[in-house]
Amino acid sequence: VAPHVFLACLRGEAALPLGIAMRDRHDGPILYYYGNPDQPYHSRSNVESAALWHFIAEHGQHSIAPLYDFSREWNDLNRALDEPYIVGGDSDVDISLEDYVADWPEGQPDHKSQGTGYLTCAQDRERLWLGPAYGESPDRILFFHAGGPGDPPNSGNPPLNRALWRFLTRHPMHVLAVSLDEEAGYTTIGREDLDEFVAGWTG
Ligand SMILES: [Zn+2]
Ligand SMILES: [Zn+2]
C-alpha cells in the first residue's frame, strides 16, 4: 500500500496532507503526490496549491518535513499533548482547506519585500527559489510573490507552483526550511530553471 505523506511543521503545530506517494516501483523515488481522484494532480488544484503556499509561508521558518504516515517522526508529533492540527482534516481542532486560505492575502504585496525566499534542503544542499517574501518582518512571512502587482499569485503561477510540488517529492523525510539568506554551496532551482525543472513531470 502506498503511504500517505504529511507536510509537517516540526514544532508540531500543524500538518498539511500532501497525498499518497506514487512511485513506479516499491523502492523508487516519489513521482508525485496523488490526492482526490477527481483532481489527480494537486499542482493543478487552486485550493490545494494555495493551502500549500500558505503553509510554507506560515511554517517554513519553523522547519518542515514531508513525513510518511508510518514514520516514527510523524507518530511522535501526533503523540504530543498538543497534536498538530490538520489543514483539510475533519476533527474538531482541524481547519478546512477553504478556511485556511480564506482572507489570506497571497499575491497582494502592499509593503516592501523582506528578501528573496528559498525552500532549502540542507541534507541535499538543494534549494528552490520562491520569489520575494512579503510580511510584517523577515521572520513573519505572509506569502511569497514572484510577479508584480496584479500578476497571478504563486499558487496560480504554473511553472513555479508545479516546481514547489515537485520539489517536495524529492525530499521525503528531509528537514526543509524557508531561508531569506544567500547560502553558499547550494544547487539552486532558480526562476530561470523552473520550466526545465517541471518539463515532462507527471504531477
Ligand atoms: Zn509551525
Ligand atoms: Zn533533501
Side-chain angles (χ1 to χ4, degrees):
V1 174
H4 282 265
V5 177
F6 289 85
L7 186 61
C9 166
L10 295 180
R11 288 188 187 169
E13 296 169 342
L16 174 77
L18 294 177
I20 297 168
M22 302 298 287
R23 313 163 193 267
D24 57 9
R25 58 177 202 276
H26 173 67
D27 57 349
I30 297 174
L31 300 177
Y32 58 95
Y33 295 114
Y34 180 83
N36 181 330
D38 299 328
Q39 290 180 315
Y41 304 123
H42 289 325
S43 67
R44 292 169 206 174
S45 163
N46 291 339
V47 66
E48 252 107 8
S49 293
L52 173 60
W53 281 93
H54 190 182
F55 193 90
I56 299 268
E58 187 174 11
H59 299 285
Q61 291 175 304
H62 305 164
S63 291
I64 55 181
L67 300 180
Y68 292 119
D69 62 352
F70 60 76
S71 66
R72 180 179 50 77
E73 289 83 347
W74 176 242
N75 283 306
D76 284 351
L77 286 179
N78 282 285
R79 262 200 299 270
L81 204 53
D82 285 320
E83 65 185 80
Y85 67 84
I86 307 293
V87 178
D90 52 13
S91 89
D92 288 352
V93 297
D94 293 343
I95 181 170
S96 73
L97 287 171
E98 290 75 12
D99 285 349
Y100 188 60
V101 299
D103 303 326
W104 175 52
E106 186 192 21
Q108 298 165 35
D110 53 0
H111 297 289
K112 190 169 135 332
S113 101
Q114 302 288 347
T116 301
Y118 294 90
L119 185 58
T120 65
C121 175
Q123 183 170 332
D124 292 318
R125 313 288 290 174
E126 182 177 79
R127 63 182 192 164
L128 174 69
W129 179 84
L130 301 174
Y134 294 88
E136 290 166 31
S137 64
D139 55 3
R140 289 188 67 97
I141 299 305
L142 259 179
F143 60 86
F144 304 94
H145 187 56
D151 284 336
N154 284 9
S155 65
N157 173 340
L160 179 54
N161 182 49
R162 297 186 73 221
L164 175 58
W165 283 100
R166 180 161 197 217
F167 188 86
L168 294 172
T169 67
R170 290 161 67 91
H171 304 283
M173 303 301 294
H174 294 183
V175 176
L176 308 177
V178 162
S179 169
L180 302 182
D181 302 317
E182 282 301 323
E183 293 143 310
Y186 275 74
T187 302
T188 302
I189 302 154
R191 167 177 232 156
E192 63 287 351
D193 307 313
L194 298 174
D195 286 324
E196 190 185 335
F197 184 60
V198 298
W201 180 55
T202 317

